[in-house]
Amino acid sequence: MIDLRTPGEIEAMRPAGEFVASVLKATRAAAVPGANLLEIDALAHRMIRAAGAESCYVDYHPSFGASPFGKVICTSVNDAVLHGLPHDYTLAKGDLLSLDFAAKVDGWVSDSAVSLVVGGDETPEDARLIATCEQALEAGIAAAQPGGRLGDVSAAIGDVAHRAGYTVNLQFGGHGVGTEMHGDPHVPNDGRPGRGFPLRPGLVIAIEPWLMAGTDEIYTDGDGWTLRSADGSRAAHVEHTVAITPDGPLVLTAR
């Protein structure tokens, strides 16, 4: 079922968006050469406790996960695409890291992700991959206008990706957000404009482009969670939680 939120409920979702943005800002700053992925997860865990928030990940166990996730943030490194399970790995300069975080505050969820190159030593290829994801996210948000269709968002994302020469995987994408992390509707990262669910005021969705440098095929790592590119190429992933309002899209997780 697709829920439409009242203006008051969208206002009530703002603290969750602000908290998620603050955790991503802090964990991004902590992602320096020599930092361990478990330390980044521990930082996010401390911030959750201090805020009285709830993790959306620690007990999360969907059909595609081998077991409950057990951590509070996704840390995907280099060829890891999505759902990167934090483990004993020390970041090195030049690693491409995606941080994906969702939490519940006062009963409402927000979800967001960011990609970066550790130590700021970007190759032209990594810079282009991350920039394309960010441009696709901006295009998807700009297309999330009341009176439009969900396909407008998907088509805007896919158009940016294809123009940059990347292929798009449709197995995972954006989703509805509300009192739970994942809900209807599914928001593919490619599609046809003018098709799909109407973009009505009150709809809240996570828009999340993710791309791999050389393929659109993925496989699941032996940890049962981390998704990796089939050819070992590097990946980037960005995301915002966005509410459709009469005045246009409202980014609840703006950093």
Side-chain angles (χ1 to χ4, degrees):
M1 184 174 73
I2 298 175
D3 294 310
L4 298 180
R5 306 299 174 185
T6 67
E9 288 175 327
I10 290 174
E11 282 300 308
M13 296 181 78
R14 284 183 183 270
E18 292 168 357
F19 174 68
V20 166
S22 71
V23 171
L24 283 180
K25 182 178 179 180
T27 51
R28 177 174 186 152
V32 297
N36 192 286
L37 297 182
L38 294 177
E39 295 171 344
I40 292 172
D41 181 71
L43 170 59
H45 209 153
R46 289 194 300 272
M47 292 183 73
I48 288 171
R49 289 197 301 269
E54 298 176 49
S55 170
C56 291
Y57 291 164
V58 68
D59 296 323
Y60 186 52
H61 189 189
S63 60
F64 56 80
S67 61
F69 191 71
K71 304 297 181 184
V72 300
I73 191 169
C74 294
T75 54
S76 302
V77 182
N78 295 332
D79 66 323
V81 183
L82 299 171
H83 310 158
L85 186 64
H87 59 286
D88 185 12
Y89 176 83
T90 299
L91 291 168
K93 187 175 183 180
D95 278 342
L96 201 169
L97 171 66
S98 297
L99 299 167
D100 186 4
F101 181 71
K104 182 180 287 189
V105 177
D106 297 330
W108 296 104
V109 171
S110 272
D111 192 1
S112 189
V114 63
S115 288
L116 65 140
V117 173
V118 176
D121 190 18
E122 292 183 325
T123 65
E125 295 78 13
D126 285 347
R128 182 170 177 270
L129 181 64
I130 294 172
T132 301
C133 277
E134 291 174 341
Q135 290 161 12
L137 177 59
E138 291 172 2
I141 293 169
Q145 298 292 335
R149 295 275 179 168
L150 200 60
D152 300 342
V153 177
S154 298
I157 294 169
D159 183 59
V160 171
H162 294 308
R163 282 192 285 106
Y166 298 107
T167 54
V168 178
N169 180 294
L170 298 179
Q171 291 171 260
F172 295 91
H175 49 87
V177 181
T179 57
E180 300 297 332
M181 177 172 58
H182 289 147
D184 293 329
H186 175 61
V187 187
N189 284 325
D190 198 8
R192 295 173 62 184
R195 306 290 289 271
F197 188 78
L199 297 175
R200 298 171 180 155
L203 182 67
V204 182
I205 53 176
I207 300 175
E208 53 177 315
W210 57 277
L211 296 169
M212 297 169 285
T215 184
D216 58 8
E217 298 293 326
I218 57 177
Y219 73 93
T220 303
D221 186 89
D223 64 14
W225 270 101
T226 304
L227 298 178
R228 296 186 181 276
S229 63
D231 64 352
S233 61
R234 285 151 80 98
H237 171 210
V238 295
E239 177 182 15
H240 272 311
T241 296
V242 180
I244 311 299
T245 78
D247 298 322
L250 172 65
V251 180
L252 295 170
T253 48
R255 292 182 286 275

